[in-house]
Every structure is written in structure tokens, then in C-alpha cells.
Amino acid sequence: MLGITDLSTYLVGLALIILLPGPNSLYVVSVAARRGPRVAYRAAAGVLCGDTVLMTLSAGGVASLLQTSPVLFAIVKFAGAGYLTWLAVGMLRGAWALWRGRETRKAARSDGAPEAPKEAVERPFRRALVVSLLNPKAILFFISFFVQFVDPAYAHPVLSFLTLGAWAQLFSFTYLSVLIFSGTFLAATFRRRKRLTAGLSAGAGAAFLGFAAKLSLASAS
């Protein structure tokens, strides 16, 4: 069908891969817990747009360029690791402020007034988009995974890649939606437990530091 071989195996593998925790999904659920589903869907849109760009670049051969150019791969790799570190530091600082009760005092000044400047500064769509794009391993993954399910004899391989990509985006959107509403549920459950929320934010920041370290040690092969 459309040059795709063994679609059922692809869907099973895709589901397992998407369920693995990563910086994108972790960021989306943290936004959902802090800001609610409407803002979290902006972050999810950034993830989906970033993945679409990476899939397009993969189909166009950028993955091969990254594999054959160690300098280019290193530039993108360390840029991505640096950005993840910057996000992690922001999360850790926010967790510390929450632990000290600063967020509670700010919220007490007015009913939701601090949220507007916070949204303007954070810009979840842009953050999620940048996190997605600054991951050269994702480009290599897309082309190496997709090509296993494309019939080399099919006359229109681009159509095969587009179909596989559409399935990937559908799975990602569904998974991110589950994370978003799980995040808002957890936020409502622990709204008054500031220390627990701070601990979860700190854990997310530490995880982002781990992702940054893993990316900085990654190789193109």
C-alpha cells in the first residue's frame, strides 16, 4: 500500500518509540501542569511542526549530509545540548522559587495577572520547536527507521515517506494529548502541595540536563 511494506510492524515499532520519554514530551507535560491544556497544545504544536521539518529534511537527504559531515553534526549537536541545558536551568530556578513560596506571593497580588507576562516570556511553541529542530539524531532516526518500511521498487517513494510521517504525527498528537490532560489532572490534584510540585519541576529539570548530556555525547553513526 503506497509503497509501504509491513505496515503493522511499523505501527507497533512507532508506538513503542513514541512512548519512550524524551525532552519534547517532558516539556509538553510540564507546560500542561503549569499553564493548562490550551497553552500546552501550543507546545505540542511546536513539537509536531519540528518533527514535520525533520521528516522533510530526512526525506531530502539532510541525514546523509549530517552523517558525512562531522563538523556540521557537532555544531547542531552542541547547539541542541546547550539549549536543553538552558531550559533545564530555567526549570530548576522555577522549582527553587516555588519551593521558597515566591510563586504563591506573586499569584496573591492579583487573580491570574502574572500569567500574561509569563506566557510572553516562555513562548512554549517556539521553545518546543527549537528543542525538536536542534536534535540531529532525530533526523538520522527518521530516515533510518522510515527507509526500512519503504519498498525500493515503488515508483513514488516520497509518497511513502509522507504516509509514514502522517502516521507518526497522528501517534504523536494522540500521545501528547494524553500527556497534556494527565499533566493538568496532576496539577489540579497537587495544586496546594507546593513542595511536591517543586520536586516534580526539579526532577524535570534534572532530566533535561540528562538529555543534554546524552545529546552532547552522541555520534552520527
Side-chain angles (χ1 to χ4, degrees):
M1 182 182 68
L2 298 176
I4 300 173
T5 62
D6 203 357
L7 179 61
S8 59
T9 300
Y10 168 77
L11 295 179
V12 172
L14 183 64
L16 293 176
I17 291 166
I18 289 177
L19 288 175
L20 292 175
N24 288 335
S25 58
L26 188 59
Y27 178 66
V28 170
V29 76
S30 78
V31 172
R34 291 181 287 109
R35 309 286 300 280
R38 178 174 298 182
V39 180
Y41 268 111
R42 299 180 195 173
V47 172
L48 296 176
C49 289
D51 285 348
T52 299
V53 172
L54 294 181
M55 291 176 194
T56 303
L57 293 176
S58 299
V62 173
S64 299
L65 177 62
L66 288 177
Q67 284 182 311
T68 58
S69 177
V71 173
L72 179 59
F73 184 88
I75 291 173
V76 178
K77 176 179 71 173
F78 287 114
Y83 191 75
L84 288 176
T85 301
W86 181 74
L87 289 179
V89 171
M91 288 182 176
L92 293 174
R93 290 178 60 186
W96 176 250
L98 188 60
W99 184 276
R100 296 292 299 272
R102 295 173 186 172
E103 294 296 327
T104 302
R105 290 194 295 270
K106 290 179 182 178
R109 294 174 185 172
S110 60
D111 295 331
E115 290 299 318
K118 184 177 180 183
E119 180 178 353
V121 171
E122 185 171 4
R123 295 173 184 170
F125 175 85
R126 189 178 69 177
R127 282 196 175 188
L129 178 64
V130 173
V131 169
S132 296
L133 295 179
L134 291 180
N135 186 4
K137 296 293 285 186
I139 302 178
L140 299 175
F141 162 75
F142 281 130
I143 194 169
S144 61
F145 183 65
F146 283 7
V147 75
Q148 300 178 49
F149 301 95
V150 175
D151 184 358
Y154 187 64
H156 306 287
V158 173
L159 185 58
S160 303
F161 271 91
L162 290 176
T163 304
L164 294 174
W167 276 109
Q169 295 293 61
L170 177 61
F171 274 45
S172 293
F173 177 79
T174 303
Y175 178 57
L176 290 176
S177 295
V178 172
L179 291 181
I180 286 171
F181 287 101
S182 297
T184 53
F185 173 77
L186 292 175
T189 302
F190 301 113
R191 183 171 298 158
R192 296 184 180 179
R193 303 178 65 178
K194 295 181 293 182
R195 292 188 175 183
L196 178 59
T197 305
L200 293 175
S201 297
F208 265 64
L209 287 177
F211 289 130
K214 182 177 180 181
L215 181 57
S216 65
L217 296 175
S219 62
S221 58

